[in-house]
Short mmCIF file of all heavy atoms in Angstrom, two decimals:
data_model
loop_
_atom_site.label_atom_id
_atom_site.label_comp_id
_atom_site.label_asym_id
_atom_site.label_seq_id
_atom_site.Cartn_x
_atom_site.Cartn_y
_atom_site.Cartn_z
N GLY A 622 50.35 15.81 60.39
CA GLY A 622 49.03 15.39 60.80
C GLY A 622 49.07 14.04 61.50
O GLY A 622 50.13 13.42 61.66
N PRO A 623 47.91 13.54 61.93
CA PRO A 623 47.84 12.26 62.65
C PRO A 623 48.46 11.12 61.84
O PRO A 623 48.17 10.97 60.66
CB PRO A 623 46.34 12.05 62.86
CG PRO A 623 45.74 13.42 62.73
CD PRO A 623 46.58 14.14 61.74
N VAL A 624 49.29 10.33 62.51
CA VAL A 624 49.95 9.25 61.80
C VAL A 624 48.96 8.21 61.29
O VAL A 624 49.22 7.50 60.32
CB VAL A 624 51.02 8.60 62.71
CG1 VAL A 624 50.36 7.82 63.84
CG2 VAL A 624 51.96 7.71 61.91
N SER A 625 47.81 8.14 61.93
CA SER A 625 46.77 7.19 61.49
C SER A 625 46.27 7.52 60.09
O SER A 625 45.68 6.68 59.42
CB SER A 625 45.61 7.19 62.48
OG SER A 625 45.03 8.48 62.58
N GLU A 626 46.50 8.77 59.66
CA GLU A 626 46.05 9.19 58.33
C GLU A 626 47.17 9.17 57.31
O GLU A 626 46.94 9.53 56.15
CB GLU A 626 45.46 10.60 58.41
CG GLU A 626 44.24 10.69 59.32
CD GLU A 626 43.69 12.10 59.42
OE1 GLU A 626 44.23 12.99 58.72
OE2 GLU A 626 42.73 12.31 60.19
N TRP A 627 48.37 8.76 57.71
CA TRP A 627 49.48 8.68 56.77
C TRP A 627 49.22 7.61 55.73
O TRP A 627 48.75 6.51 56.04
CB TRP A 627 50.78 8.38 57.49
CG TRP A 627 51.35 9.53 58.26
CD1 TRP A 627 50.73 10.71 58.57
CD2 TRP A 627 52.65 9.61 58.86
NE1 TRP A 627 51.55 11.51 59.31
CE2 TRP A 627 52.74 10.86 59.50
CE3 TRP A 627 53.74 8.75 58.91
CZ2 TRP A 627 53.89 11.26 60.19
CZ3 TRP A 627 54.88 9.13 59.59
CH2 TRP A 627 54.95 10.38 60.22
N ARG A 628 49.55 7.92 54.50
CA ARG A 628 49.46 6.97 53.40
C ARG A 628 50.86 6.49 53.05
O ARG A 628 51.84 6.87 53.69
CB ARG A 628 48.80 7.61 52.19
CG ARG A 628 47.44 8.24 52.46
CD ARG A 628 47.16 9.31 51.42
NE ARG A 628 48.17 10.35 51.46
CZ ARG A 628 48.38 11.25 50.49
NH1 ARG A 628 47.63 11.21 49.40
NH2 ARG A 628 49.32 12.17 50.60
N SER A 629 50.96 5.66 52.03
CA SER A 629 52.27 5.20 51.59
C SER A 629 53.17 6.36 51.19
O SER A 629 54.39 6.32 51.39
CB SER A 629 52.13 4.21 50.42
OG SER A 629 51.48 3.04 50.81
N GLN A 630 52.57 7.43 50.65
CA GLN A 630 53.36 8.57 50.21
C GLN A 630 54.09 9.22 51.38
O GLN A 630 55.24 9.66 51.26
CB GLN A 630 52.47 9.59 49.52
CG GLN A 630 53.25 10.78 48.94
CD GLN A 630 54.26 10.35 47.90
OE1 GLN A 630 53.92 9.62 46.97
NE2 GLN A 630 55.50 10.77 48.06
N GLU A 631 53.41 9.32 52.55
CA GLU A 631 54.06 9.93 53.72
C GLU A 631 55.27 9.11 54.16
O GLU A 631 56.31 9.67 54.55
CB GLU A 631 53.07 10.08 54.87
CG GLU A 631 52.21 11.33 54.81
CD GLU A 631 51.18 11.29 53.70
OE1 GLU A 631 50.72 10.18 53.32
OE2 GLU A 631 50.81 12.36 53.19
N PHE A 632 55.16 7.79 54.11
CA PHE A 632 56.31 6.97 54.51
C PHE A 632 57.42 7.06 53.47
O PHE A 632 58.61 7.02 53.83
CB PHE A 632 55.86 5.51 54.72
CG PHE A 632 55.04 5.32 55.95
CD1 PHE A 632 53.66 5.22 55.88
CD2 PHE A 632 55.64 5.27 57.20
CE1 PHE A 632 52.89 5.07 57.03
CE2 PHE A 632 54.90 5.11 58.35
CZ PHE A 632 53.51 5.00 58.27
N ALA A 633 57.07 7.19 52.21
CA ALA A 633 58.09 7.40 51.18
C ALA A 633 58.79 8.74 51.39
O ALA A 633 60.02 8.86 51.26
CB ALA A 633 57.46 7.35 49.78
N ASP A 634 58.02 9.77 51.76
CA ASP A 634 58.60 11.08 52.03
C ASP A 634 59.49 11.04 53.27
O ASP A 634 60.55 11.68 53.30
CB ASP A 634 57.50 12.12 52.21
CG ASP A 634 56.73 12.39 50.92
OD1 ASP A 634 57.26 12.07 49.85
OD2 ASP A 634 55.60 12.90 51.00
N LEU A 635 59.06 10.29 54.29
CA LEU A 635 59.87 10.18 55.51
C LEU A 635 61.19 9.50 55.20
O LEU A 635 62.24 9.89 55.73
CB LEU A 635 59.09 9.41 56.58
CG LEU A 635 59.84 9.15 57.90
CD1 LEU A 635 60.34 10.45 58.51
CD2 LEU A 635 58.94 8.40 58.87
N LYS A 636 61.16 8.48 54.34
CA LYS A 636 62.41 7.83 53.94
C LYS A 636 63.37 8.84 53.33
O LYS A 636 64.57 8.86 53.65
CB LYS A 636 62.11 6.71 52.93
CG LYS A 636 63.36 6.00 52.41
CD LYS A 636 63.00 4.91 51.41
CE LYS A 636 62.58 5.51 50.08
NZ LYS A 636 62.42 4.47 49.04
N LYS A 637 62.86 9.71 52.47
CA LYS A 637 63.70 10.73 51.85
C LYS A 637 64.21 11.74 52.86
O LYS A 637 65.37 12.16 52.81
CB LYS A 637 62.92 11.44 50.74
CG LYS A 637 62.57 10.53 49.56
CD LYS A 637 61.73 11.28 48.53
CE LYS A 637 61.34 10.39 47.37
NZ LYS A 637 60.49 11.09 46.38
N GLU A 638 63.34 12.14 53.80
CA GLU A 638 63.73 13.11 54.81
C GLU A 638 64.86 12.55 55.68
O GLU A 638 65.83 13.25 56.00
CB GLU A 638 62.53 13.47 55.70
CG GLU A 638 61.40 14.19 54.98
CD GLU A 638 61.64 15.70 54.89
OE1 GLU A 638 62.59 16.18 55.50
OE2 GLU A 638 60.85 16.37 54.19
N ILE A 639 64.75 11.28 56.07
CA ILE A 639 65.78 10.66 56.90
C ILE A 639 67.08 10.54 56.12
O ILE A 639 68.17 10.81 56.65
CB ILE A 639 65.30 9.28 57.40
CG1 ILE A 639 64.14 9.46 58.38
CG2 ILE A 639 66.44 8.51 58.05
CD1 ILE A 639 63.49 8.17 58.82
N PHE A 640 66.99 10.16 54.85
CA PHE A 640 68.21 10.05 54.04
C PHE A 640 68.87 11.41 53.87
O PHE A 640 70.10 11.54 53.93
CB PHE A 640 67.88 9.45 52.67
CG PHE A 640 69.09 9.28 51.78
CD1 PHE A 640 69.95 8.23 51.97
CD2 PHE A 640 69.36 10.19 50.78
CE1 PHE A 640 71.06 8.07 51.16
CE2 PHE A 640 70.47 10.06 49.98
CZ PHE A 640 71.32 8.98 50.16
N ASP A 641 68.07 12.43 53.66
CA ASP A 641 68.59 13.79 53.51
C ASP A 641 69.38 14.21 54.75
O ASP A 641 70.45 14.81 54.65
CB ASP A 641 67.42 14.75 53.27
CG ASP A 641 67.88 16.18 53.01
OD1 ASP A 641 69.06 16.36 52.67
OD2 ASP A 641 67.06 17.09 53.11
N LYS A 642 68.88 13.86 55.92
CA LYS A 642 69.49 14.29 57.18
C LYS A 642 70.65 13.41 57.59
O LYS A 642 71.66 13.89 58.11
CB LYS A 642 68.42 14.27 58.27
CG LYS A 642 68.91 14.61 59.67
CD LYS A 642 69.12 16.08 59.86
CE LYS A 642 69.43 16.40 61.32
NZ LYS A 642 69.64 17.84 61.54
N THR A 643 70.56 12.09 57.34
CA THR A 643 71.51 11.14 57.94
C THR A 643 72.35 10.38 56.93
O THR A 643 73.32 9.73 57.33
CB THR A 643 70.76 10.11 58.79
OG1 THR A 643 70.00 9.23 57.95
CG2 THR A 643 69.82 10.78 59.78
N LYS A 644 71.96 10.42 55.65
CA LYS A 644 72.61 9.61 54.59
C LYS A 644 72.41 8.11 54.84
O LYS A 644 73.16 7.27 54.36
CB LYS A 644 74.09 9.93 54.47
CG LYS A 644 74.39 11.35 54.08
CD LYS A 644 73.80 11.71 52.72
CE LYS A 644 74.51 11.00 51.58
NZ LYS A 644 75.86 11.48 51.38
N VAL A 645 71.39 7.76 55.60
CA VAL A 645 71.03 6.37 55.86
C VAL A 645 69.68 6.10 55.21
O VAL A 645 68.73 6.86 55.42
CB VAL A 645 70.97 6.05 57.36
CG1 VAL A 645 70.46 4.63 57.60
CG2 VAL A 645 72.34 6.24 58.00
N MET A 646 69.61 5.03 54.43
CA MET A 646 68.37 4.71 53.74
C MET A 646 67.61 3.65 54.54
O MET A 646 68.09 2.53 54.72
CB MET A 646 68.67 4.18 52.33
CG MET A 646 67.43 3.97 51.49
SD MET A 646 66.65 5.54 51.01
CE MET A 646 67.80 6.11 49.75
N ILE A 647 66.42 4.01 55.04
CA ILE A 647 65.54 3.07 55.73
C ILE A 647 64.35 2.82 54.82
O ILE A 647 63.72 3.77 54.34
CB ILE A 647 65.06 3.63 57.08
CG1 ILE A 647 66.26 3.95 57.97
CG2 ILE A 647 64.15 2.63 57.78
CD1 ILE A 647 65.86 4.58 59.30
N SER A 648 64.03 1.58 54.58
CA SER A 648 62.97 1.27 53.62
C SER A 648 61.61 1.71 54.16
O SER A 648 61.40 1.84 55.37
CB SER A 648 62.94 -0.23 53.34
OG SER A 648 62.46 -0.95 54.45
N GLU A 649 60.68 1.94 53.23
CA GLU A 649 59.32 2.31 53.61
C GLU A 649 58.67 1.20 54.44
O GLU A 649 57.93 1.47 55.40
CB GLU A 649 58.49 2.58 52.36
CG GLU A 649 58.97 3.78 51.56
CD GLU A 649 58.33 3.84 50.20
OE1 GLU A 649 57.12 3.55 50.11
OE2 GLU A 649 59.03 4.17 49.22
N THR A 650 58.96 -0.06 54.10
CA THR A 650 58.39 -1.18 54.85
C THR A 650 58.87 -1.16 56.29
O THR A 650 58.08 -1.37 57.23
CB THR A 650 58.78 -2.51 54.18
OG1 THR A 650 58.28 -2.53 52.85
CG2 THR A 650 58.19 -3.68 54.95
N THR A 651 60.17 -0.89 56.50
CA THR A 651 60.69 -0.82 57.86
C THR A 651 60.02 0.29 58.64
O THR A 651 59.64 0.12 59.81
CB THR A 651 62.21 -0.61 57.83
OG1 THR A 651 62.83 -1.74 57.22
CG2 THR A 651 62.77 -0.44 59.24
#
C-alpha cells in the first residue's frame, strides 16, 4: 500500500525482508 500509510511495523517487516534476501541488517531508523 501507499508508503505514506506505513507504520513502524512496516519498516520493521522491511528490515526482516531485506535480511532474509541479502543477509544484511539495515536498521528501521535507516
Side-chain angles (χ1 to χ4, degrees):
V624 70
S625 60
E626 298 179 3
W627 286 12
R628 305 156 300 164
S629 294
Q630 184 61 51
E631 276 71 29
F632 288 101
D634 293 340
L635 177 55
K636 178 180 74 172
K637 294 177 181 178
E638 295 276 352
I639 293 173
F640 181 78
D641 184 18
K642 176 78 172 180
T643 70
K644 298 299 290 291
V645 174
M646 187 70 74
I647 302 177
S648 71
E649 295 167 40
T650 300
T651 297

